[in-house]
Amino acid sequence: MAGTILVLNGPNLNLLGTREPDIYGHATLADVEALCRAEAEGFGLSVDFRQTNAEHEMVEWIQQGRCGLAGIVINPAAFSYAAYPVLDALKLVEGPVVEVHISNIHRRDEAWRKDTIMTAAATGVISGLGIAGYGLAVRYIAELVRSRP
Ligand code: CA2
């Protein structure tokens, strides 16, 4: 577990790569998973990669992973805007939590997209770097692990 990075994806991200490519690109969630695994494996770490459309499932996964993981990378997707149970669960996590958004939520046409509540529980946020943001988040956590005595 200490050598595992949990990568969580919220609602509708199972459809990544099938619509709105101008905003989200052409990569699929399977591509994102491969990217995260490749990055983690370079540091000798493993990735537990998951997606759900169900808030209760996301809460369960975060609770199960709150201790003993290298860290959590999460794209909460639309949970970002109203899912207080997910926020509370993230606040219980002991290790680093990196919030990732593929698009730059501060430049989107809909003003509400910038108001993510999850940031209150995140160590840091990456937004707008496409799926590369996931790889950078995994790398951040992996380097933290490597720097520990
Ligand atoms: O930019 C991101 O990664 C988002 O977290 C994606 C979320 C959106 O609600 C956030 O505002 C920003 C999910 C977008 C809807 O899901 C799609 C999946 C595939 C293709 C297009 C949209």
Side-chain angles (χ1 to χ4, degrees):
M1 285 284 269
T4 301
I5 298 173
L6 181 59
V7 182
L8 299 173
N9 295 277
N12 299 306
L13 288 169
N14 51 311
L15 298 176
L16 191 67
T18 66
R19 58 195 172 98
E20 298 185 89
D22 48 319
I23 298 172
Y24 298 105
H26 291 282
T28 66
L29 202 60
D31 296 328
V32 177
E33 180 172 0
L35 173 78
C36 291
R37 288 195 191 286
E39 189 67 44
E41 281 165 11
F43 288 83
L45 299 176
S46 62
V47 161
D48 184 352
F49 192 93
R50 302 177 186 207
Q51 186 276 331
T52 184
N53 295 324
E55 185 176 332
H56 70 91
E57 194 164 44
M58 184 66 89
V59 170
E60 291 290 343
W61 290 346
I62 295 167
Q63 283 190 12
Q64 288 161 13
R66 74 183 195 282
C67 310
L69 287 170
I72 294 179
V73 175
I74 182 167
N75 184 344
F79 288 153
S80 303
Y81 309 111
Y84 287 95
V86 174
L87 173 63
D88 274 348
L90 286 175
K91 285 185 170 173
L92 299 174
V93 173
E94 287 183 353
V97 174
V98 183
E99 178 181 355
V100 172
H101 297 279
I102 297 166
S103 63
N104 181 347
I105 57 175
H106 301 281
R107 288 187 69 170
R108 299 288 299 273
D109 290 342
E110 304 101 328
W112 55 267
R113 286 199 191 272
K114 73 178 186 324
D115 294 326
T116 166
I117 59 172
M118 297 302 153
T119 306
T123 308
V125 185
I126 299 171
S127 179
L129 302 185
I131 68 164
Y134 284 85
L136 293 167
V138 166
R139 187 178 191 91
Y140 168 76
I141 291 170
E143 286 183 345
L144 271 185
V145 170
R146 192 168 62 180
S147 69
R148 276 187 211 131

